[in-house]
Amino acid sequence: MTDTSTQKGHPKGLWYLFGTEMWERFGYYLMLGIFALYMLDGWDNGGMGFDAAKKSDIYGTYLGLVYLTPFIGGLLADRVLGYRRSIILGGLMMASGYFLLSVHDITSFFIGLFFIILGNGFFKPNISTLVGNLYSGEDMKHKKDSGYNIFYMGINIGAFICNFVAAYMRINYGWSYAFIAAGVGMLIGVVIFLMGTKHIKHVDIIKPLQQGDMPTAKILGSTILPMFIFGILGYMIPGNILGTDTNDAFIFGCVPVIAFFIYLWFKSSGLEKRSIAALLAVFSCVILFFAIFHQNGDALTVWAEDYTNREMPESVASVASKVDMAQTVENNDIVALDDAAFTSKIEELRAQANAMPETTKEEINAKKAAAGQIAQYEASRKYFSNKSPENIPAKGQNLKLYSTELYQSINPFWVILLTPVLVGVWGFLRKRGKEPSTPTKIALGLLITALSALVMVGAVYATNDLTMKASSWWLIASYGVITLGELCLSPMGLSLVSKLSPPRITALMMGGFFLAISVGNKLAGMLSSLWETMEEKENFFFLNFGLVLGAALLLFLMLKWLNRVMKENNVY
């Protein structure tokens, strides 16, 4: 056992990277879990007051850009900054972005998103690259998949915890404090990273340029500048090719970056050329996984909010109420009005609230309370709209609900539960010489993900044409299936990049993997925008099923070639 390894045979640095990523993902997924709800909530209630179409457009664009910038961050880390500096810089920028989101202002909102997008570009590819570098020695190479699975569990511990914090902060203090909690989590992650840097610095190596390599400035000039030019052209095209101006701008902007990776393949030769080709082929297939997976923060959040029975059992409600973790909806004379009378009453109350003075602290608080009461009426009315009449409480009575944010913790809960099981299964098969190759695991992940969409088809049918609410178990089951697919695919994707990438461009190729995630995330927003237009919601999930199944079949057809490239590189 060396001074860089633990008794269980994994490098000590892994546990510091585990802790860093756990807290970074705490902040990231806290923000993402409330992002759609925050944008939809009314301005007077502390939200942005956007309509559903604008919300999905911003959500998809943000998710796309947040995984597009790792291309830049990976390149600069490989050649200029090094991995540790890039991670610290990215972490501080992301924390600043969360704190800016806590300011209820439209300009701060977009500047905050910009800081998070840029910060993630410096943070995400480089911490994943460091994990792989810790396993680069011959004595550790066989444990790389397990190392990434352990690292991935850290991601999901943070993602599980954060939504409880988000719900508590949002219910009791408002949106701003939830975003502040995200920023504090990110700062804790930076501190943990600094504490463990002595166990990581030996794998933080800046690679010198080799003969034939394109200079860094030329790469940035030939990709980033054209990316902005193509993006602007896409935005200015008359009409909308892909639904909205921002969709056109994003996809057009990706073209130069995709062209650069094709150029990398074209200029390489021999085994390196085949390795890059294999990675690009896998990247193209996993795009559709992320297009489906990242609807958890948009379409599936809307499903949880509008079509899921979130009522707490009395035993849970009594405990949750004591710690202010229950969302309350109440039936009363206003909520029980018919549609026209309710709309008229809300408009009357909103006019009264807008006319209230807001000079003194007491007046400001009174105006906020009035806006909160209006929001309570609207939330209650909305929740009861598709609930069976016999299950609506009598006037003057209320129901305690699970906050919608908490449904975002189902996926990380499954990850934490299933990761040890899956690692054990891979280990069992490895001892018998039957462990699937990394590309095979990714193909299985796509197939399993397709099945998760079919579970949601069942959820739609359970609502009787959306006239009733579906049980929470449908979402729990769907998340369980997609999580199994995720564990076969996402950490294995990181592992595959680390295994097959030429060492001098590992972080750059990691940026390529995140570019695939970026395009998938933008497609997630574009697909989610169809949610509002599809009257038969089961068709939305059938579409998701068909898209991922097609990608899975394509990858299975390429497995023989991919596995041959793995053997050529002496990795499995």
Side-chain angles (χ1 to χ4, degrees), residues 7-62:
Q7 290 182 345
K8 292 186 177 180
H10 287 282
K12 287 182 180 178
L14 174 67
W15 306 107
Y16 287 97
L17 296 177
F18 176 103
T20 302
E21 183 75 345
M22 183 185 82
W23 281 104
E24 183 272 327
R25 292 289 97 175
F26 170 92
Y28 178 82
Y29 282 111
L30 191 158
M31 176 268 181
L32 196 62
I34 62 175
F35 191 36
L37 299 173
Y38 175 65
M39 288 190 286
L40 288 172
D41 201 13
W43 180 267
D44 291 337
N45 201 40
M48 285 288 107
F50 298 152
D51 61 36
K54 185 173 183 178
K55 174 267 300 177
S56 288
D57 194 21
I58 293 173
Y59 177 87
T61 303
Y62 164 74

Side-chain angles (χ1 to χ4, degrees), residues 265-420:
W265 167 79
F266 182 77
K267 292 291 289 184
S268 60
S269 60
L271 181 58
E272 189 174 285
K273 189 183 188 79
R274 291 192 293 278
S275 296
I276 294 174
L279 287 172
L280 294 181
V282 173
F283 293 171
S284 65
C285 291
V286 302
I287 285 172
L288 286 169
F289 166 79
F290 289 101
I292 306 309
F293 179 74
H294 274 126
Q295 288 175 34
N296 60 348
D298 197 351
L300 290 185
T301 293
V302 173
W303 178 269
E305 174 84 0
D306 294 345
Y307 302 108
T308 297
N309 182 9
R310 295 185 282 120
E311 186 176 347
M312 287 180 170
E314 191 172 332
S315 57
V316 176
S318 61
V319 176
S321 297
K322 290 177 182 177
V323 292
D324 296 323
M325 283 289 291
Q327 183 180 346
T328 303
V329 288
E330 180 182 2
N331 191 11
N332 54 41
D333 289 335
I334 293 177
V335 172
L337 292 170
D338 61 50
D339 289 344
F342 179 78
T343 301
S344 176
K345 184 63 178 179
I346 290 298
E347 289 176 353
E348 177 189 336
L349 292 173
R350 188 166 283 127
Q352 292 173 2
N354 290 337
M356 292 173 68
E358 47 183 331
T359 304
T360 66
K361 184 178 181 180
E362 290 75 14
E363 290 172 343
I364 293 171
N365 289 336
K367 188 166 185 173
K368 285 183 178 179
Q373 185 62 68
I374 294 169
Q376 174 70 18
Y377 291 144
E378 291 179 318
S380 299
R381 173 84 173 189
K382 185 177 182 182
Y383 186 78
F384 295 142
S385 65
N386 59 350
K387 196 165 178 63
S388 302
E390 65 271 14
N391 293 322
I392 296 175
K395 289 182 182 179
Q397 301 297 311
N398 61 46
L399 293 179
K400 301 294 183 181
L401 309 180
Y402 293 108
S403 181
T404 307
E405 296 98 318
L406 298 182
Y407 286 82
Q408 292 294 304
S409 285
I410 298 173
N411 168 242
F413 167 78
W414 279 117
V415 171
I416 295 165
L417 186 68
L418 294 176
T419 293

Side-chain angles (χ1 to χ4, degrees), residues 254-268:
C254 286
V255 170
V257 185
I258 294 170
F260 170 75
F261 280 100
I262 296 173
Y263 169 83
L264 274 183
W265 167 79
F266 182 77
K267 292 291 289 184
S268 60

